Amino acid sequence: MTTSNQRLLVYIGSYAETDGPGIYVSEFDPATGKLHIIQSLDGYRNPTFLNVDMAKHRAYSIGEMTDANGSKAGEASSFSIDPATGKLTVINRKKTVNSTTCHIQRDELSTRITVTSYHGGMVGTLELSADGSIGELLDVQQHAGKGKDPERQDKPHPHSSFYSADGSYLFVQDLGLDQIITYKVDKQKHKLEPHQVTQLHGGAGPRHLVFHPNGSFAYVINELDSTITVLRYDKHAGLLAIEETVSTLPEGFKGENGCAEITISADGAYLYGSNRGHDSIAVYAVDAASGKLTSKQFVSVEGGHPRHFALTPDGKFALVANRDTNNIVMFSINEDGTLQYTGEQLEVSKPVCVIPVYLD
């Protein structure tokens, strides 16, 4: 339960070089709709995606490094969150996998993080210590194969990974293979065991996934053909089944487009997806019984290339990170789930990830 005196913080990841700021801590004022930066951290190369564990006052970021052989590799950083201010202090930095990474996720008990490598075609897990520090690499799963598109799907390109609510399964969206690859998490051996491959239609390019709050449905946004696929989820067996696929674009749009982020309202009534090219957020009503979608709105993001967006925990605002126009744009959320531009923006260089959380 939230109260009026709780501070709403927004943690921001971006494309950046090590000599400039890349991670930001900002505060959102719901009364004015304004967002202002209270801390920026430099020394991190492309800390594009973050994960925040406010219950333990920890945050995690991906990044890039050069290993001993002079090759690019993935890096992850762990931070403590000051419970009074929300500001970050680094705990440790650790090499992850032998390729750059694009996504980071954490299991429900904060015992491990998972990093996803688009260019390396792999997903890796690393242990988390009780103090929040990142430990040893536990497992790496290398994907193989290719998809329909000879340019974008010439090899595996996993783009994200998400744990089931109980942490028993990990779902990896592979853009290059048009597959959602499900792993069962062996918590004793700390390994990922192949469990199911959900084959999507050719040329889909699955990117990110979100579960319905009731745990019975999942939704994957497909980057390459601008669609969202609705899946029924058997949480006991950890199995996905395709229900339908819908477009993220208004009828008649002929321009180039690629989708990015997807999220759902806390009550499960509305689903949101971002279009890069059309530069919009697509809004859908969700049927409670079937999980299927009805289009409600396409709203301009007031910028270019909405790489990521998020809803505030109270469900009253949406914050959209437009990478190519260097702005984070604020929208209010109407009772019918539609978005309305508030007129407020924050200038940030190449923002990629926005995570709004209440400071306890």
Side-chain angles (χ1 to χ4, degrees), residues 14-45:
S14 68
Y15 279 109
E17 298 297 329
T18 55
D19 59 355
I23 300 172
Y24 305 85
V25 183
S26 59
E27 185 168 2
F28 182 70
D29 184 350
T32 63
K34 293 182 181 295
L35 186 66
H36 68 276
I37 294 171
I38 60 175
Q39 183 190 24
S40 59
L41 287 78
D42 56 21
Y44 301 88
R45 179 175 172 77

Side-chain angles (χ1 to χ4, degrees), residues 21 32 62 83 117 152 157 200 253 346 351 360:
T32 63
I62 60 168
S117 174
R152 294 295 308 276
H157 287 303
L200 303 182
F253 178 76
L346 175 69
D360 295 338

